[in-house]
Amino acid sequence: MEIFEWVRFLAGAAFLLAGVVIFLIEMAGVFRFRYVLNRMHAAAMGDTLGIGFCLLGLIVMNGLNVTSLKLFLVIVFLWFSSPVSSHLIARLEVTTNEDGEKQYQVKNLDQEPQESGGKEEL
Amino acid sequence: MESLESAYGILFTGVLIVLAALILLCLLRAIIGPRTADRIVAANMMGTMVIVMIAILTVKLGEGYLADICLIYAMISFLAVIVLTKVYMGVYLEKKEKDEKAAASRNREETTGDGQTQDGSAQSLQDGSSGEEVSDGNI
């Protein structure tokens, strides 16, 4: 029975350490990229994959009970909230950056009719 | 059994220390971030890491109610991002609208000439308030 406990500890520790590694990669990306919209790409990784791995490892260690259900609810909530907040931050950046044309190109999908579909190449 | 307990303690303490160091790096990013969006992204990352720390404390201390705090912290962190984004975008659009109005009235005064300053200024005020379409309520 003790072997089972050790296996559970090792599985949980593997998930938890994988999550911490994802957080480290996120931080490296945030410091290496040059622009906010690139940094956001790295920062969104920790919001979904990093916290997912960490909380999954904690669920494995904790066993199946109400606390684990609440931790799983945190993961589900972040799955929904992280894309929304990323979208809002990106829209703030695109709106407020006066000379953003050097950094990115904005394609306005609302004002282009179907003719752009023919012009677009692969 | 004792070695298992000590292994859990070492793992949780190590992960908590690493996360604390990462939160300090997030704070550094928030301080040196050149744009506002950088700071908001850094605040969001700090929120995520604090959620993981509270979840680790939930399992380490065996206290189930800390999971509720974790969930509420996630919601408040999301709300903070929404509010900061809306506030900064509203402030920016308001400033831009004011600048455009000032520039438009100045241009009209220059073009109408010096003879009819009162009429020109009144007309420019009317035009500036009604004619300029600044934004489509994008806030």
Side-chain angles (χ1 to χ4, degrees):
Chain A
M1 209 56 194
E2 197 176 344
I3 294 173
F4 176 70
E5 291 289 323
W6 272 103
V7 167
R8 200 170 77 172
F9 169 73
L10 287 178
F15 275 121
L16 195 58
L17 291 177
V20 172
V21 166
I22 295 288
F23 277 129
L24 286 169
I25 295 170
E26 170 194 9
M27 196 55 61
V30 163
F31 274 94
R32 277 186 69 87
F33 279 128
R34 293 284 169 219
Y35 188 57
V36 191
L37 295 178
N38 304 110
R39 282 183 198 130
M40 243 171 52
H41 177 189
M45 190 171 62
D47 271 352
T48 52
L49 193 62
I51 203 168
F53 268 139
C54 280
L55 294 189
L56 203 62
L58 291 174
I59 287 169
V60 168
M61 287 180 192
N62 203 22
L64 280 180
N65 48 27
V66 183
T67 308
S68 297
L69 187 66
K70 285 172 188 167
L71 291 180
F72 181 70
L73 215 58
V74 174
I75 301 178
V76 172
F77 181 77
L78 277 169
W79 278 345
F80 284 105
S81 76
S82 171
V84 178
S85 54
S86 290
H87 175 77
L88 285 172
I89 294 169
R91 207 174 61 177
L92 170 76
E93 173 60 26
V94 169
T95 307
T96 59
N97 201 349
E98 300 277 349
D99 53 349
E101 300 299 322
K102 286 176 281 185
Q103 309 278 357
Y104 53 81
Q105 293 177 339
V106 177
K107 186 177 181 186
N108 199 344
L109 293 174
D110 294 333
Q111 294 176 357
E112 287 187 8
Q114 300 101 352
E115 63 184 71
S116 70
K119 279 182 188 174
E120 283 283 325
E121 292 175 1
L122 293 177
Chain B
M1 254 349 233
E2 268 199 16
S3 59
L4 190 64
E5 294 285 326
S6 65
Y8 269 114
I10 290 170
L11 174 72
F12 287 149
T13 312
V15 171
L16 282 176
I17 288 171
V18 171
L19 283 175
L22 288 179
I23 283 179
L24 283 180
L25 285 176
C26 276
L27 199 60
L28 190 63
R29 182 78 256 171
I31 291 168
I32 69 176
R35 296 194 61 79
T36 309
D38 268 318
R39 303 176 209 273
I40 300 177
V41 166
N44 199 11
M45 286 191 322
M46 284 170 71
T48 307
M49 286 171 193
V50 169
I51 289 167
V52 174
M53 287 175 87
I54 296 174
I56 288 171
L57 283 181
T58 306
V59 181
K60 189 177 191 298
L61 302 178
E63 305 278 3
Y65 64 85
L66 281 173
D68 299 336
I69 297 175
C70 200
L71 192 53
I72 290 171
Y73 200 97
M75 290 176 185
I76 290 178
S77 165
F78 179 49
L79 189 70
V81 171
I82 292 178
V83 169
L84 283 174
T85 314
K86 295 284 179 196
V87 165
Y88 277 114
M89 198 179 282
V91 166
Y92 175 80
L93 288 178
E94 204 170 312
K95 186 162 162 283
K96 195 178 165 191
E97 187 176 347
K98 215 167 64 182
D99 288 351
E100 278 182 358
K101 269 186 187 174
S105 65
R106 211 180 302 128
N107 282 339
R108 296 250 169 69
E109 275 182 15
E110 283 175 3
T111 51
T112 47
D114 294 332
Q116 326 156 344
T117 46
Q118 285 187 347
D119 290 345
S121 63
Q123 199 180 1
S124 71
L125 270 181
Q126 268 190 348
D127 283 348
S129 59
S130 64
E132 292 286 327
E133 291 182 8
V134 175
S135 165
D136 50 345
N138 206 8
I139 300 177

